[in-house]
Amino acid sequence: MKTALAAALLLTAALAAEAQNHNAVQPYESLDSTAVDASSDYLAAKARWHNELAAFSRADQQQFPLPGGVVFVGSSTVRMWKNLAQDFRQVPNIVNRGFGGSTMADCSLFARDLVVRYKPRQVLVYAGDNDLAEGRTPLQVLESFARFANAVRAELPHTRISFISVKPSPSREHLMPLIRETNNVISAYLNRLPDSEYIDIFTPMLGADGRPRPELFRSDRLHLTDEGYRLWQSIIAARLPAAGPAISSAPMPMPLPMTSPASSTP
């Protein structure tokens, strides 16, 4: 256990140092940089999530979000937050880019597509529990989050990055030790990363017995009830800006180009 913890702390320090180095260098060349686009992982993910990306593209065509807003990105907990903009109406420009079933690894691959292109002043990401359920380790989740953070910071050095902790779902209670470790290593990483924060929703979602509070979850014991979302809103609201100027006056990008249709995983 001590060896694993020491390894996690060393990796956290290394990733944070790498992120700070990114802040000191010039941003990536453009959103069309081939470093990610050419990767097989990116292309495979783009095919897998074709339907979701196409829906985001259609929404952008109807009304492209103004720069300087707040982007929420992540898995189904974000996607199913139907009242997101209303719950945070003190923020003039909320963008929901949740796609159900996604992982932290997916979010890191799509950091430019779903975050950077909107030039937000803050991004909040919720992901990680699907990674753990698929067999990834806490350190692998940390590495994916670090790649996500580095991709955002390379283009948007002044954008605040907030990680919403992995929640303690009753259906995944057997993963609780891994969930705690994931939250701990990402929290430690963010302590070393400027203009970032760890938002703890894990602790308030536990009862006095230390187990997940059942009233916060739907019958599937995984997704949130209205009461669960109210709890999240009460915690997250204080972490969001009330208003502010756009962080960039650069022209808005064209909608995402779509690849050939492919089925997506729910």
Side-chain angles (χ1 to χ4, degrees):
M1 180 66 71
K2 290 183 178 179
T3 302
L5 179 58
L9 292 175
L10 286 173
L11 178 59
T12 297
L15 291 173
E18 180 184 354
Q20 292 186 41
N21 288 337
H22 272 295
N23 292 340
V25 300
Q26 293 297 316
Y28 293 158
E29 296 82 14
S30 71
L31 288 177
D32 296 323
S33 173
T34 58
V36 171
D37 290 2
S39 76
S40 59
D41 288 345
Y42 176 79
L43 295 176
K46 198 166 185 179
R48 179 187 179 194
W49 298 108
H50 171 83
N51 291 343
E52 287 74 11
L53 295 175
F56 295 148
S57 181
R58 289 192 296 270
D60 288 348
Q61 288 176 331
Q62 294 175 5
Q63 184 174 0
F64 198 92
L66 293 173
V70 174
V71 172
F72 282 75
V73 66
S75 59
S76 55
T77 303
V78 175
R79 178 182 63 82
M80 296 171 67
W81 200 335
K82 301 301 184 183
N83 296 324
L84 185 65
Q86 181 180 350
D87 285 346
F88 300 111
R89 48 187 171 271
Q90 80 275 16
V91 181
N93 185 15
I94 291 284
V95 182
N96 188 328
R97 288 297 176 262
F99 50 121
S102 61
T103 62
M104 191 67 247
D106 290 320
C107 292
S108 69
L109 290 170
F110 293 134
R112 293 173 181 79
D113 303 86
L114 300 184
V115 178
V116 173
R117 68 194 318 266
Y118 301 119
K119 299 180 173 61
R121 65 185 304 185
Q122 182 175 1
V123 55
L124 295 94
V125 58
Y126 177 78
D129 49 349
N130 287 333
D131 302 69
L132 298 175
E134 291 178 6
R136 295 183 181 89
T137 67
L139 292 184
Q140 287 174 319
V141 179
L142 170 62
E143 289 173 339
S144 292
F145 177 72
R147 285 195 296 271
F148 172 88
N150 288 343
V152 172
R153 280 289 168 82
E155 297 281 356
L156 304 172
H158 304 298
T159 292
R160 185 166 185 80
I161 298 173
S162 304
F163 178 81
I164 302 171
S165 65
V166 180
K167 68 184 188 295
S169 302
S171 66
R172 292 176 173 170
E173 199 166 0
H174 63 289
L175 296 175
M176 286 282 274
L178 295 178
I179 291 173
R180 290 180 186 276
E181 185 179 348
T182 300
N183 288 336
N184 288 340
V185 296
I186 292 181
S187 176
Y189 167 74
L190 290 171
N191 283 339
R192 295 170 174 265
L193 187 67
D195 201 14
S196 67
E197 65 186 332
Y198 170 84
I199 301 177
D200 179 20
I201 56 81
F202 177 89
T203 304
M205 296 186 77
L206 297 177
D209 59 358
R211 301 186 63 186
R213 295 165 54 187
E215 72 275 13
L216 303 178
F217 296 89
R218 298 185 181 190
S219 58
D220 62 9
R221 304 170 69 238
L222 177 63
H223 297 105
L224 299 183
T225 60
D226 290 343
E227 186 173 352
Y229 279 116
R230 283 194 294 271
L231 175 64
W232 278 41
Q233 188 275 339
S234 69
I235 295 168
I236 295 172
R239 310 296 189 98
L240 301 183
I247 65 172
S248 172
S249 58
M252 295 180 186
M254 295 298 291
L256 290 172
M258 292 295 106
T259 57
S260 58
S263 61
S264 63
T265 302

